[in-house]
Amino acid sequence: MEKLISVIVPVYNVEKYLYKCIESIRKQTYNHLEIILVDDGSTDSSGNICDKFKEIDNRIRVIHKVNGGLSEARNVGIDCAKGDFISFIDSDDYIENNMLETLLNDLLSHSADISASAYDMVYSNYTIDIKEGNDLQLYTKEEALKVYLQTNNIGVIACNKLYKSYLFSNVRYPIGQHFEDINTTYKLIANAKRIVYRPQIFYHYVQRNSSINGKGFNSVSFNYKLYDMIKATDELLDFIKVNFPNILKNIEICSCSYYLRVINQEILYGIEENNLRKKIKDLIKKNAISILEANYIGAKKKIQYIIYAYFFVLYKRIVLIEMRKKK
């Protein structure tokens, strides 16, 4: 008997993108799917589009709910999923026709609990490939926790993966928090025994200004978004300290990159937060030798870390010049 895959699609005001998304799922070469469309209180025609697709494809289930955000919509889908496996597709994105079949075959043939692929970020006039290497990689959970933040293998995002359903027995996405994937993916990896990664692009991650993560930062939204990233990163470090202390150094190093994104926005908007600045300086100085020796950190990033830790005034000037160029 074929294994059932539950594909969970949170939907909110994506009428321009939704048809392409759903069609890319319906056309999968693996047919035994349960497609759960969670209409999160859309105010455009997205809910009606979901209902029309339900009429023509009996694999589709539609849930209409009051708006509660991406995490809550995903959690609703998880709670009602009947599949042996779970996949998430954001409703403004789309996937290659053989994505689910390939990920399932990889997962089963390697006795893994999570199967992941490379993906690309699709902008209006160009794309950026998020992938490393050319060979299939098989990881233990400890190995996976090391690489998923240090490299582009596995990836933090939820949607380039296929999961065994049991992994969600004690995991849900944090409601009301931005960067929910940072707060969740490592917990799923920790629940798994083996993770397989294929460096082939199957998932197309569409970047748009009106999406949750596509909105530009401004002084009003800054605290709500960027400090959610700090909170998620702090929780990750605490989790590793308790459960995987032998890989703590690796996670501390890669966490610097997330913290510096916050600092860069603080500099841009003239916000002073000395406790966080000192925390990052101490982290970089503590791990300076490991940072310089790490082959997964590029030369430009290493220089950035050292300038930040030892020449902050110069770092601040460089950030202001670079970030104003992008405006």
Side-chain angles (χ1 to χ4, degrees):
M1 185 175 179
E2 282 190 306
K3 301 290 187 180
L4 179 65
I5 297 177
S6 295
V7 183
I8 298 170
V9 185
V11 176
Y12 181 71
N13 288 358
V14 285
E15 59 186 8
K16 284 177 58 179
Y17 306 90
L18 188 54
Y19 181 89
K20 185 174 185 178
C21 173
I22 297 174
E23 279 296 293
S24 74
I25 301 170
R26 293 182 64 228
K27 292 177 180 177
Q28 288 297 294
T29 54
Y30 189 82
N31 293 316
H32 197 40
L33 307 177
E34 171 192 46
I35 304 169
I36 304 172
L37 307 178
V38 184
D39 172 28
D40 191 36
S42 296
T43 57
D44 65 0
S45 63
S46 295
N48 291 332
I49 294 171
C50 291
D51 290 335
K52 289 177 181 177
F53 270 105
K54 179 183 177 181
E55 293 175 1
I56 62 173
D57 193 328
N58 60 14
R59 299 175 300 172
I60 291 178
R61 299 166 60 190
V62 178
I63 300 170
H64 297 284
K65 61 180 288 297
V66 175
N67 179 254
L70 177 61
S71 288
E72 185 177 291
R74 282 182 182 168
N75 292 341
V76 167
I78 294 168
D79 290 341
C80 70
K82 299 176 182 177
D84 305 286
F85 306 94
I86 288 176
S87 179
F88 300 99
I89 312 295
D90 284 349
S91 53
D92 46 0
D93 300 336
Y94 57 99
I95 59 178
E96 291 297 311
N97 292 353
N98 61 338
M99 173 176 164
L100 295 177
E101 181 176 22
T102 305
L103 292 184
L104 179 60
N105 287 340
D106 286 346
L107 189 150
L108 294 176
S109 61
H110 293 89
S111 300
D113 300 304
I114 299 174
S115 178
S117 77
Y119 62 97
D120 60 12
M121 300 177 72
V122 181
Y123 293 84
S124 58
N125 56 357
Y126 65 95
T127 62
I128 299 175
D129 293 349
I130 309 297
K131 60 172 289 188
E132 292 188 10
N134 298 304
D135 301 322
L136 196 76
Q137 299 291 329
L138 186 62
Y139 303 109
T140 65
K141 69 174 71 179
E142 290 82 5
E143 291 167 339
L145 284 168
K146 286 181 183 180
V147 304
Y148 109 105
L149 282 178
Q150 292 175 356
T151 75
N152 290 323
N153 290 3
I154 302 176
V156 175
I157 69 169
C159 297
N160 65 327
K161 301 174 178 67
L162 182 68
Y163 311 85
K164 283 189 176 178
S165 298
Y166 86 89
L167 298 174
F168 292 91
S169 60
N170 62 344
V171 175
R172 290 294 185 273
Y173 288 89
I175 294 174
Q177 187 169 323
H178 295 96
F179 304 105
E180 56 284 316
D181 292 347
I182 296 176
N183 201 273
T184 309
T185 300
Y186 70 87
K187 296 174 185 175
L188 296 168
I189 292 174
N191 279 352
K193 296 181 180 67
R194 305 178 90 188
I195 298 91
V196 61
Y197 168 78
R198 175 178 290 274
Q200 183 176 348
I201 294 173
F202 290 124
Y203 192 89
H204 303 290
Y205 185 14
V206 177
Q207 305 297 298
R208 59 189 181 94
N209 290 333
S210 57
S211 66
I212 290 174
N213 291 319
K215 290 180 181 176
F217 293 112
N218 55 57
S219 56
V220 176
S221 66
F222 175 82
N223 288 341
Y224 295 102
K225 292 184 176 181
L226 271 278
Y227 284 119
D228 276 350
M229 183 184 286
I230 295 175
K231 180 182 176 183
T233 306
D234 286 344
E235 289 177 1
L236 166 61
L237 289 172
D238 290 341
F239 181 87
I240 297 298
K241 286 176 185 177
V242 173
N243 297 285
F244 302 94
N246 59 312
I247 65 169
L248 178 60
K249 181 179 290 188
N250 302 83
I251 304 302
E252 281 187 336
I253 292 171
C254 64
S255 71
C256 293
S257 178
Y258 285 90
Y259 287 134
L260 283 183
R261 286 183 64 185
V262 180
I263 291 296
N264 291 349
Q265 295 297 324
E266 287 185 342
I267 291 171
L268 183 62
Y269 293 113
I271 299 171
E272 297 285 339
E273 212 291 275
N274 292 324
N275 289 335
L276 178 61
R277 292 183 182 183
K278 183 178 185 304
K279 177 178 181 176
I280 301 171
K281 282 184 180 181
D282 291 344
L283 262 180
I284 293 173
K285 289 179 178 180
K286 174 184 172 183
N287 295 290
I289 294 176
S290 297
I291 288 172
L292 293 174
E293 292 177 346
N295 57 13
Y296 56 85
I297 300 176
K300 184 176 179 180
K301 181 69 73 173
K302 290 177 181 180
I303 293 170
Q304 180 186 21
Y305 287 159
I306 298 305
I307 292 176
Y308 176 87
Y310 295 97
F311 309 99
F312 182 74
V313 174
L314 175 60
Y315 179 87
K316 186 174 179 180
R317 289 176 183 171
I318 293 171
V319 168
L320 286 172
I321 291 170
E322 289 298 317
M323 297 191 79
R324 283 169 181 164
K325 281 182 184 177
K326 296 177 181 178
K327 283 199 155 189

